[in-house]
Amino acid sequence: MASLTVYAGAGDGFIGNSGTDRATVGNASSGNNPINGSIYLEPAVSLIGGTYTIDRVFLPFDTSSLPDDATINSATLSIYITTLVNDDGGDRKIQLILTTQASTSTLVDDDYDQVGTTQQATQIGMPSITTSAYNTFTLNATGRGWISKTGIS
């Protein structure tokens, strides 16, 4: 069985939004200050001094080198996590959700709400995250179904 390793492309990064109401922040149509091609990515939901901040990470992968007749039986996404902040003791989780940023080569404010709701892999709870190590998400059938053989996944 052959395998393919790909890395996130030029449009990787994160974009956030802040405000005093978590639902309003989460449902906002745009974010602020997208960080493109960062050396670190920062998915976060935090509450500091009455202000909620939600940062969303975008990771486009060029999977066009997959053969047209390839059958995708399994797929994983491994993310190296250096540090973890879970200062409220809550049961937060990292989830993989399909994103549809306008351009896969850059992030803009309006990409903030370009996230779906269907999980593409089993979420990993904060207590199960290992720092200074790769944490691996195994894509479910939905996640494997979104892998493109002709472009960006």
Side-chain angles (χ1 to χ4, degrees):
M1 179 181 313
S3 66
L4 172 69
T5 300
V6 294
Y7 298 92
D12 70 336
F14 67 94
I15 186 169
N17 197 322
S18 299
T20 57
D21 180 71
R22 188 179 192 280
T24 300
V25 172
N27 294 322
S29 61
S30 67
N32 50 47
N33 194 28
I35 307 298
N36 286 279
S38 177
I39 58 170
Y40 70 96
L41 300 174
E42 185 179 281
V45 175
S46 61
L47 174 61
I48 299 172
T51 299
Y52 287 94
T53 300
I54 298 178
D55 291 326
R56 295 176 174 160
V57 172
F58 292 75
L59 298 170
F61 294 92
D62 182 355
T63 51
S64 62
S65 62
L66 285 167
D68 291 344
D69 62 349
T71 300
I72 301 170
N73 295 316
S74 65
T76 59
L77 173 64
S78 296
I79 300 173
Y80 192 88
I81 297 177
T82 56
T83 58
L84 185 64
V85 176
N86 190 19
D87 56 8
D88 69 356
D91 186 25
R92 297 190 180 163
K93 298 169 178 58
I94 297 176
Q95 302 175 353
L96 297 183
I97 306 292
L98 181 68
T99 62
T100 55
Q101 65 202 81
S103 168
T104 56
S105 62
T106 190
L107 282 173
V108 296
D109 288 344
D110 288 341
D111 288 329
Y112 181 77
D113 68 344
Q114 298 304 303
V115 296
T117 58
T118 304
Q119 292 187 41
Q120 308 296 305
T122 301
Q123 58 193 1
I124 298 178
M126 294 295 193
S128 300
I129 297 292
T130 302
T131 57
S132 299
Y134 282 97
N135 291 261
T136 300
F137 296 85
T138 301
L139 274 65
N140 58 28
T142 302
R144 292 189 308 272
W146 282 107
I147 296 174
S148 172
K149 298 175 192 172
T150 59
I152 303 294
S153 300

